[in-house]
mmCIF file of all heavy atoms in Angstrom:
data_model
loop_
_atom_site.group_PDB
_atom_site.id
_atom_site.type_symbol
_atom_site.label_atom_id
_atom_site.label_comp_id
_atom_site.label_asym_id
_atom_site.label_seq_id
_atom_site.Cartn_x
_atom_site.Cartn_y
_atom_site.Cartn_z
ATOM 1 N N LEU A 173 180.881 150.414 57.056
ATOM 2 C CA LEU A 173 179.629 151.074 56.758
ATOM 3 C C LEU A 173 179.783 152.568 57.208
ATOM 4 O O LEU A 173 180.430 152.873 58.152
ATOM 5 C CB LEU A 173 178.436 150.545 57.393
ATOM 6 C CG LEU A 173 178.197 149.013 57.319
ATOM 7 C CD1 LEU A 173 177.011 148.642 58.065
ATOM 8 C CD2 LEU A 173 178.141 148.580 55.887
ATOM 9 N N ARG A 174 179.130 153.504 56.422
ATOM 10 C CA ARG A 174 179.040 154.914 56.881
ATOM 11 C C ARG A 174 177.505 155.255 57.026
ATOM 12 O O ARG A 174 176.647 155.014 56.116
ATOM 13 C CB ARG A 174 179.638 155.796 55.839
ATOM 14 C CG ARG A 174 181.154 155.812 55.843
ATOM 15 C CD ARG A 174 181.753 157.103 55.177
ATOM 16 N NE ARG A 174 181.152 157.288 53.889
ATOM 17 C CZ ARG A 174 180.606 158.345 53.425
ATOM 18 N NH1 ARG A 174 180.450 159.406 54.191
ATOM 19 N NH2 ARG A 174 180.134 158.505 52.142
ATOM 20 N N LEU A 175 177.122 155.822 58.137
ATOM 21 C CA LEU A 175 175.886 156.313 58.454
ATOM 22 C C LEU A 175 175.866 157.762 58.709
ATOM 23 O O LEU A 175 176.913 158.365 59.013
ATOM 24 C CB LEU A 175 175.343 155.521 59.681
ATOM 25 C CG LEU A 175 175.433 154.058 59.754
ATOM 26 C CD1 LEU A 175 174.815 153.589 61.005
ATOM 27 C CD2 LEU A 175 174.736 153.403 58.593
ATOM 28 N N ARG A 176 174.719 158.427 58.582
ATOM 29 C CA ARG A 176 174.539 159.833 58.938
ATOM 30 C C ARG A 176 173.402 160.098 59.831
ATOM 31 O O ARG A 176 172.314 159.488 59.644
ATOM 32 C CB ARG A 176 174.473 160.683 57.688
ATOM 33 C CG ARG A 176 174.311 162.205 58.025
ATOM 34 C CD ARG A 176 174.375 163.047 56.785
ATOM 35 N NE ARG A 176 175.756 163.087 56.295
ATOM 36 C CZ ARG A 176 176.030 163.295 55.041
ATOM 37 N NH1 ARG A 176 175.180 163.397 54.091
ATOM 38 N NH2 ARG A 176 177.287 163.299 54.714
ATOM 39 N N GLY A 177 173.619 160.798 60.910
ATOM 40 C CA GLY A 177 172.528 161.160 61.850
ATOM 41 C C GLY A 177 173.047 161.903 62.996
ATOM 42 O O GLY A 177 174.301 162.268 63.033
ATOM 43 N N PRO A 178 172.273 162.118 64.087
ATOM 44 C CA PRO A 178 172.671 162.853 65.214
ATOM 45 C C PRO A 178 174.001 162.196 65.793
ATOM 46 O O PRO A 178 174.128 160.968 65.933
ATOM 47 C CB PRO A 178 171.544 162.701 66.175
ATOM 48 C CG PRO A 178 170.364 162.509 65.336
ATOM 49 C CD PRO A 178 170.854 161.692 64.124
ATOM 50 N N ASN A 179 174.853 163.074 66.320
ATOM 51 C CA ASN A 179 176.164 162.522 66.914
ATOM 52 C C ASN A 179 175.798 161.963 68.248
ATOM 53 O O ASN A 179 175.469 162.652 69.169
ATOM 54 C CB ASN A 179 177.094 163.733 67.021
ATOM 55 C CG ASN A 179 178.507 163.290 67.426
ATOM 56 O OD1 ASN A 179 178.668 162.093 67.795
ATOM 57 N ND2 ASN A 179 179.511 164.166 67.408
ATOM 58 N N LEU A 180 175.985 160.577 68.355
ATOM 59 C CA LEU A 180 175.649 159.853 69.555
ATOM 60 C C LEU A 180 176.871 159.580 70.460
ATOM 61 O O LEU A 180 176.683 159.031 71.539
ATOM 62 C CB LEU A 180 174.955 158.586 69.126
ATOM 63 C CG LEU A 180 173.642 158.711 68.284
ATOM 64 C CD1 LEU A 180 173.186 157.339 67.957
ATOM 65 C CD2 LEU A 180 172.660 159.490 69.014
ATOM 66 N N ALA A 181 178.048 159.859 69.995
ATOM 67 C CA ALA A 181 179.242 159.478 70.763
ATOM 68 C C ALA A 181 180.308 160.533 70.636
ATOM 69 O O ALA A 181 180.473 161.100 69.548
ATOM 70 C CB ALA A 181 179.694 158.091 70.319
ATOM 71 N N GLN A 182 181.089 160.682 71.683
ATOM 72 C CA GLN A 182 182.210 161.558 71.736
ATOM 73 C C GLN A 182 183.553 160.817 71.442
ATOM 74 O O GLN A 182 184.459 161.412 70.935
ATOM 75 C CB GLN A 182 182.268 162.351 73.020
ATOM 76 C CG GLN A 182 181.005 163.224 73.286
ATOM 77 C CD GLN A 182 180.715 164.187 72.196
ATOM 78 O OE1 GLN A 182 181.617 164.874 71.734
ATOM 79 N NE2 GLN A 182 179.424 164.179 71.810
ATOM 80 N N HIS A 183 183.577 159.626 71.865
ATOM 81 C CA HIS A 183 184.791 158.830 71.706
ATOM 82 C C HIS A 183 184.587 157.749 70.596
ATOM 83 O O HIS A 183 183.454 157.437 70.162
ATOM 84 C CB HIS A 183 185.030 157.987 73.016
ATOM 85 C CG HIS A 183 185.247 158.921 74.257
ATOM 86 N ND1 HIS A 183 184.203 159.417 74.953
ATOM 87 C CD2 HIS A 183 186.394 159.231 74.833
ATOM 88 C CE1 HIS A 183 184.653 160.076 75.932
ATOM 89 N NE2 HIS A 183 185.935 160.051 75.930
ATOM 90 N N VAL A 184 185.734 157.236 70.169
ATOM 91 C CA VAL A 184 185.712 156.012 69.387
ATOM 92 C C VAL A 184 185.243 154.884 70.278
ATOM 93 O O VAL A 184 185.778 154.744 71.397
ATOM 94 C CB VAL A 184 187.114 155.724 68.758
ATOM 95 C CG1 VAL A 184 187.052 154.318 67.989
ATOM 96 C CG2 VAL A 184 187.526 156.772 67.820
ATOM 97 N N LEU A 185 184.236 154.097 69.814
ATOM 98 C CA LEU A 185 183.781 152.968 70.662
ATOM 99 C C LEU A 185 184.158 151.667 70.071
ATOM 100 O O LEU A 185 184.102 151.437 68.850
ATOM 101 C CB LEU A 185 182.199 153.108 70.758
ATOM 102 C CG LEU A 185 181.583 154.346 71.237
ATOM 103 C CD1 LEU A 185 180.112 154.380 71.108
ATOM 104 C CD2 LEU A 185 182.073 154.707 72.618
#
Side-chain angles (χ1 to χ4, degrees):
L173 311 179
R174 284 198 310 126
L175 310 179
R176 176 171 290 151
N179 190 349
L180 302 176
Q182 301 303 312
H183 301 79
V184 176
L185 307 177

